[in-house]
Amino acid sequence: MNPLRSSVLSALLLPGVVVVGTRVGLPVLAMATLRLSSSSSFFAYQQQKVGLTAPQRPPSSFASPPPSPPLVVCSIPDRHHLPSSHSSAEASSGRISLGFCTRQQSWNRNLAVVAAAASVTEVGGGGSSSTISREEVVREDDPTNNVPDTVFGKIGLQLHNRESHPLGILKNAIYSYFDETFPGVFHKVDNLLPIVSVKANFDDVLTPPDHVSRSYNDTYYVNADTVLRCHTSAHQAELLRQGLTHFLVTGDVYRRDAIDATHYPVFHQMEGLRLFTQQEWEAAGMDGTALAAQELKKTLEGLARHLFGDVQMRWVDTYFPFTDPSYELEIFFQGKWMEVLGCGVTQQQILCNNGCAGTTAWAFGLGLERLAMVLFDIPDIRLFWSNDSRFTSQFKSGQLGTKFKSFSKYPPCYKDISFWISEEFSENNLCEIVRGIAGDLVEEVVLIDEFTNPKKGKTSHCYRIAYRSMERSLTDDEINALQAEVRQQVEGKLKITLR
Ligand code: DAH
């Protein structure tokens, strides 16, 4: 098939799809889009559900994990220049009071996490420190809090700031692209505290009040006004107010989600934003939105080529509350269409509300794990969190795309659990319980059977839980104990009836 025909066909078959790139011979009809986790489609996809699901509070009995020691976040004197209001002052000012966390607080780049536990680890060390205690983030008796210990334990780990970690390598490769294409222009921020206000996470980027992404089922709330950011877009407004005109923000983001090889409740995103002035669009002989859209596409196509080589790409029209028009960029990689990022022309209201009236802007958000999984051939998202040297030693700073060699494949063990659900049942709550008990030993939770008994008017779900360690063989006794605990907690906390 010639390239022209290929693109025409795609455009006809998939409204809103524009094909760029010239690779020939693709079976257009058979193209399926590979959707991985860390997806920028979260907000796009949520649009379809707007209004269907009212924000849900978690059942008050939802989380009752054992107490854990405070997290100490140590900052090392910053070697990298940050914008003035992102100086290390706040980071080094001692305890971060989450109760008043209505504005973003910054952390130094070289944060080190010191867990004041039996297994105390000090990474980096030195300098002053800020502490976040577990009690400030995980509040078991507060019905407006749904942060479990497993998630609290990830705050501060900053995988994206580890130079030899696949996520750090990928972040630096994206930085290199922007540095080469726009020397000295883009400001980089990668140390912002992931605990943000509801306003920053949702309101400032125009997420509608009834948008399902705000629900307790989808987002981790520290309290009614404070969340673990569910996207790096949470920092757009703040950085605009600080006067930044070109920036990249990288950080860990948190979402309540399913359990499988590509979903994990914590992952990493990079956000980019570039402003345009009236002078710029007049000089280009275009209107402001058209220039931003044109530059957006050119810049991101260049980024995709920088990371993936000479791939075929296509633009898919979509919806985000914060942009208009909005697009997703997909590339044809390893035989499938894969979504790379979400982006668009920033809503005027965001610019006006944050001191940038009279400008236009493009913005994008991309999930680092989803790209790193394909670039480094990493088969399971849990591996990113592994400290096993058989994983960590395979990657070197600056080497994008080293192919991961599986060091072992231990056998999985499957356990089924069936129950009658109640109206409040949510799969994310089930997954949270399983993760709370089994941690990274749980590989997947899949609904394998569902039926409704017409006489009783009750619906039954059967889930298959796959337990597998990436580092060792699990014993039967160990798995039976985990499964027994899962059954007990599911029954106690989810208002279901075990079958
Ligand atoms: N925040 C979006 C998400 O997490 C991704 C995104 C889409 C960011 C479009 C943007 C954007 O800045 O313009 O799903």
Side-chain angles (χ1 to χ4, degrees), residues 73-362:
V73 183
C74 296
S75 55
I76 299 162
D78 195 3
R79 289 191 293 270
H80 296 258
H81 186 70
L82 289 168
S84 53
S85 53
H86 266 258
S87 71
S88 56
E90 288 166 305
S92 55
S93 66
R95 198 174 186 78
I96 294 172
S97 170
L98 302 178
F100 302 100
C101 191
T102 52
R103 73 196 170 97
Q104 178 55 223
Q105 312 206 21
S106 71
W107 283 357
N108 265 345
R109 156 178 208 89
N110 295 313
L111 293 177
V113 174
V114 182
S119 57
V120 171
T121 328
E122 183 157 356
V123 188
S128 52
S129 72
S130 300
T131 65
I132 302 170
S133 73
R134 171 185 176 274
E135 285 61 41
E136 288 173 301
V137 183
V138 182
R139 301 181 196 167
E140 288 151 35
D141 43 11
D142 178 352
T144 67
N145 180 292
N146 63 352
V147 182
D149 270 324
T150 42
V151 165
F152 171 70
K154 304 293 187 218
I155 297 176
L157 295 185
Q158 304 221 44
L159 301 182
H160 59 286
N161 286 338
R162 299 184 189 174
E163 300 276 316
S164 296
H165 188 280
L167 299 178
I169 298 169
L170 175 57
K171 179 193 80 172
N172 286 330
I174 301 174
Y175 281 0
S176 302
Y177 167 74
F178 278 93
D179 286 343
E180 284 157 23
T181 318
F182 308 95
V185 169
F186 275 83
H187 197 98
K188 304 172 197 94
V189 186
D190 55 18
N191 57 1
L192 299 179
L193 186 65
I195 301 164
V196 302
S197 64
V198 165
K199 176 177 176 296
N201 197 72
F202 295 121
D203 303 333
D204 285 354
V205 286
L206 312 181
T207 307
D210 59 350
H211 198 276
V212 72
S213 62
R214 292 180 182 251
S215 84
Y216 275 75
N217 194 41
D218 288 41
T219 290
Y220 290 107
Y221 281 78
V222 173
N223 59 44
D225 305 315
T226 312
V227 294
L228 302 186
R229 68 182 163 214
C230 69
H231 57 168
T232 43
S233 307
H235 301 292
Q236 272 192 13
E238 178 203 11
L239 295 178
L240 286 172
R241 284 197 297 274
Q242 287 175 17
L244 295 186
T245 58
H246 299 67
F247 57 83
L248 302 170
V249 190
T250 314
D252 37 333
V253 300
Y254 298 76
R255 289 181 195 175
R256 300 185 84 232
D257 219 332
I259 298 182
D260 62 33
T262 62
H263 290 86
Y264 202 81
V266 190
F267 57 99
H268 296 77
Q269 283 190 334
M270 186 188 289
E271 185 88 2
L273 188 143
R274 176 184 176 183
L275 281 187
F276 295 87
T277 61
Q278 188 173 353
Q279 275 167 333
E280 284 174 288
W281 68 73
E282 280 176 3
M286 302 172 84
D287 74 58
T289 302
L291 177 67
Q294 175 187 286
E295 288 299 312
L296 170 70
K297 290 186 173 178
K298 201 165 79 187
T299 304
L300 295 178
E301 285 169 20
L303 173 62
R305 255 181 249 113
H306 179 79
L307 299 176
F308 292 94
D310 186 21
V311 285
Q312 192 190 18
M313 304 173 212
R314 66 185 186 186
W315 290 99
V316 181
D317 288 336
T318 187
Y319 162 86
F320 296 109
F322 14 94
T323 45
D324 187 23
S326 305
Y327 312 102
E328 281 167 356
L329 175 60
E330 296 184 354
I331 62 168
F332 196 73
F333 193 70
Q334 296 172 345
K336 286 178 180 137
W337 282 105
M338 184 184 90
E339 184 201 324
V340 175
L341 51 81
C343 61
V345 177
T346 305
Q347 293 277 9
Q348 273 299 307
Q349 200 185 325
I350 297 179
L351 300 174
C352 293
N353 288 351
N354 295 290
C356 302
T359 66
T360 59
W362 60 239

